[in-house]
Amino acid sequence: MEAYAVGREEVWEKDPHYRGFLAALQELHGETDRGVALVATSFLDKLLRDILGAFMIENQSAKALLSGFNARFGSFSTRIAGCLALGLITEREAEQSDTLRKVRNRFAHEAEVNFKTESVQALCNNLRVLERDKDGDARRKFSCRHQ
């Protein structure tokens, strides 16, 4: 177990993607419910954008598809759909991502919402979480590892 911990720490320290991910995870612990929903999904949205970009050549057309006003893959939902259509994520990953997107939208567009809000709880109950997290509250289900 100690060797695993040492190896994990080396990866966290050396790989810039993992460092960014770790920083985002640490930031989430101190966030409000709205902060958790917005920060976590913005990280996922960026990952999907990066996945799509990795399969495109670097030119103006690719850039226009991924960012800017009216970009075809400029929204979270179109990035999910694009990654699924290209076989870059599974159907299950797309469904989970779409549920996370819907939760994010509740927080982004409603003033009085938290993880105790009934509609948010219902969405979080649709997330496929590990057995140990099934009885957790909505915030835990949203924030934990999904299957």
Side-chain angles (χ1 to χ4, degrees):
M1 187 61 110
E2 187 176 327
Y4 166 77
V6 170
R8 181 192 66 217
E9 294 305 316
E10 287 179 18
V11 169
W12 287 115
E13 288 176 17
K14 293 179 181 174
D15 188 296
H17 298 290
Y18 282 111
R19 267 200 320 267
F21 182 65
L22 180 60
L25 286 179
Q26 290 171 335
E27 183 179 333
L28 286 179
H29 291 296
E31 285 290 340
T32 63
D33 284 358
R34 186 177 311 277
V36 166
L38 298 178
V39 170
T41 54
S42 69
F43 189 77
L44 178 58
D45 188 21
K46 182 187 179 314
L47 286 175
L48 293 171
R49 183 175 94 33
D50 291 349
I51 290 169
L52 286 166
F55 286 86
M56 296 179 184
I57 60 173
E58 289 186 37
N59 62 23
Q60 283 304 110
S61 294
K63 192 174 189 177
L65 286 170
L66 292 171
S67 59
F69 181 71
N70 274 344
R72 299 285 189 226
F73 292 122
S75 72
F76 195 6
S77 62
T78 58
R79 289 175 181 162
I80 295 167
C83 285
L84 178 61
L86 293 168
L88 303 174
I89 60 174
T90 65
E91 187 79 36
R92 178 184 282 180
E93 290 166 334
E95 289 170 2
Q96 294 291 282
S97 296
D98 197 50
T99 299
L100 295 170
R101 180 191 64 78
K102 289 175 183 176
V103 171
R104 187 240 11 219
N105 284 351
R106 298 278 183 181
F107 281 96
H109 301 293
E110 295 177 25
E112 294 184 27
V113 66
N114 58 47
F115 281 108
K116 290 184 170 82
T117 302
E118 197 172 310
S119 61
V120 172
Q121 287 181 349
L123 286 167
C124 290
N125 285 336
N126 291 327
L127 292 168
R128 298 175 86 152
V129 297
L130 297 175
E131 191 63 38
R132 69 172 188 238
D133 297 315
K134 286 193 185 286
D135 294 330
D137 63 16
R139 181 175 170 140
R140 180 165 178 82
K141 289 177 184 176
F142 182 87
S143 303
C144 72
R145 183 171 171 222
H146 301 112
Q147 296 182 333

